[in-house]
Amino acid sequence: MKRWGFCAILVLCLAGVLCLPAAATDAGFSALPEEYVALESYLPKSLSGILPEGLFDPDPQRVQEALSQLTSFSGFIGVILQAVGLHLEECGALLASVLGLLLLCGMMRALGQVWSMNHASLVPRLCLYLAIAGAGYAAVDAMLDYFSSLQTLMQGMIPLMSTMYLLGGNAARASVGNVMLSVGLNVCHSVCAGLAPPLFGACMAMALPAVMESGVDLARVSGFLKKGYTTVLGILTLVLTLCLSAQNLIASRADSLAMRSGRYAIGQMIPVVGGALAGSLDTLAAGIGLLRGLAGMSGVLLLLIGCLPVLVRMLLLRGLFDLGSGIAHLLGCASESALLGEAGSLFGYMAAAVAICTAVFIIAVGAFASCAAAWVT
């Protein structure tokens, strides 16, 4: 997953909002649609409580002020810290447990060599395995909760996007967007969320023989499963993104042709009315562009802020287990080092899966925010 891709998407969306007019009433609009106001009801409670007041107000001016507050440096960092929580307490306790068990494993291994007891460190190794498995299943549950909240949020965004598309005469694009985003939600739910628990369970089961020091090494098999999981997900999301982009392009051209043909016909039949209509349409397009920018920027920020807690949790667990693997290697605990390295690698793949799925919807909402009215495309 390319970090620069996320940064570029975010910067473009921020730049689009900064270039918008100062007030929506100047373009002929006085309120955002009801679908935008109702979007707040689709948010998880943990997220809705930390967002600035007025973000879901029907008044575009208040929404702009809330977005300005949210995208300021202090406001954005504050919301991120509240949303993420950094999980420092949880990860600190887990790190202390891992280090304590590693020291115990090292001591018992050394005593076993002196007393010729080959399995002296078996009990602390099993405790380490159970600690990793417990933390892992809790993180997988958080990942599943995130995908449920992502699905709920996008189900609220789809009718909003359809309404805004129709306001701008993008009827074909509205229907295409509904279908493709629904397909994307099903892909995320069935592939990413549906396969995550059995994948984690299978990889942890394959790590158990190494913990028991049975001489059976299934690391290659678990590595194949992890790479296959992210590869399949990456291919599916790439195909989905390409299809969404291609169909949006075709639909936008069809909408543009239809609207321009109607505008030209009216101008030819009634020249005076046609000239007045052209000016009114330009004003209307400016207002629609403003509302789409506000709604799209809000959607991108909600997706980004909602993704960060689970993403940071996965990355913190990966860093913690990689650190434990290095310490275990220094203590001469080869099997413990391999177990921790396997767990760290697994959470790295899961973090990539979360980022890939979220990126698809960020791109879709960003394309919605940048879409112009049909008669000006």
Side-chain angles (χ1 to χ4, degrees):
M1 200 61 224
K2 301 292 185 182
R3 295 186 182 94
W4 290 109
F6 291 105
C7 294
I9 293 168
L10 182 58
V11 169
L12 288 175
C13 293
L14 289 171
V17 172
L18 292 176
C19 294
L20 293 172
T25 54
D26 298 337
F29 284 88
S30 59
L32 284 156
E34 295 180 358
E35 289 82 359
Y36 177 79
V37 180
L39 193 62
E40 187 175 12
S41 63
Y42 292 92
L43 297 178
K45 293 182 179 179
S46 59
L47 184 59
S48 60
I50 63 175
L51 295 173
E53 185 179 356
L55 184 60
F56 298 100
D57 196 275
D59 183 7
Q61 187 63 37
R62 292 201 63 190
V63 175
Q64 263 189 320
E65 293 173 357
L67 282 175
S68 298
Q69 177 184 348
L70 183 59
T71 54
S72 65
F73 181 79
S74 59
F76 193 63
I77 295 298
V79 169
I80 288 176
L81 291 178
Q82 292 181 69
V84 173
L86 295 181
H87 303 285
L88 291 180
E89 182 177 355
E90 174 190 352
C91 289
L94 180 60
L95 178 61
S97 300
V98 168
L99 293 179
L101 289 170
L102 285 177
L103 290 174
L104 185 59
C105 288
M107 292 174 56
M108 296 301 295
R109 192 179 294 274
L111 292 174
Q113 292 176 352
V114 173
W115 295 338
S116 299
M117 297 175 61
N118 295 331
H119 299 287
S121 62
L122 178 60
V123 173
R125 279 204 309 274
L126 289 175
C127 292
L128 178 63
Y129 176 85
L130 293 175
I132 293 173
Y137 276 113
V140 171
D141 286 340
M143 180 179 175
L144 297 179
D145 291 339
Y146 165 69
F147 279 110
S148 296
S149 64
L150 174 64
Q151 188 173 23
T152 302
L153 176 60
M154 289 307 301
Q155 286 173 349
M157 284 293 299
I158 287 175
L160 170 64
M161 293 168 66
S162 298
T163 300
M164 297 303 299
Y165 277 137
L166 292 174
L167 283 177
N170 304 99
R173 195 162 184 176
S175 60
V176 168
N178 271 342
V179 173
M180 294 305 298
L181 286 177
S182 299
V183 171
L185 288 172
N186 290 331
V187 169
C188 288
H189 186 268
S190 59
V191 177
C192 194
L195 294 181
L199 174 69
F200 180 80
C203 290
M204 291 304 297
M206 292 179 187
L208 188 58
V211 174
M212 304 295 293
E213 294 185 343
S214 62
V216 179
D217 186 6
L218 299 175
R220 290 183 179 272
V221 180
S222 62
F224 172 78
L225 291 178
K226 290 181 291 186
K227 291 180 180 179
Y229 173 67
T230 51
T231 300
V232 170
L233 182 62
I235 292 174
L236 288 174
T237 52
L238 176 61
V239 172
L240 178 65
T241 303
L242 292 176
C243 292
L244 181 62
S245 301
Q247 293 198 22
N248 273 340
L249 178 61
I250 296 171
S252 64
R253 297 308 177 194
D255 289 330
S256 177
L257 178 61
M259 294 300 294
R260 284 175 179 269
S261 298
R263 180 177 176 179
Y264 175 78
I266 294 175
Q268 290 297 314
M269 288 186 294
I270 315 175
V272 177
V273 176
L277 178 63
S280 300
L281 287 177
D282 291 338
T283 304
L284 183 64
I288 292 171
L290 172 62
L291 297 186
R292 282 182 180 171
L294 293 175
M297 188 59 196
S298 299
V300 169
L301 289 173
L302 291 175
L303 289 171
L304 183 62
I305 295 172
C307 168
L308 282 176
V310 65
L311 186 61
V312 170
R313 183 174 187 172
M314 296 290 181
L315 294 177
L316 283 175
L317 286 174
R318 174 174 181 170
L320 186 153
F321 291 139
D322 286 345
L323 175 63
S325 178
I327 294 174
H329 181 73
L330 292 176
L331 295 175
C333 302
S335 59
E336 292 84 346
S337 178
L339 172 63
L340 289 165
E342 173 71 16
S345 173
L346 180 59
F347 284 110
Y349 281 104
M350 289 190 172
V354 171
I356 289 171
C357 289
T358 307
V360 174
F361 297 108
I362 289 178
I363 292 171
V365 177
F368 156 73
S370 62
C371 175
W375 53 87
V376 296
T377 55

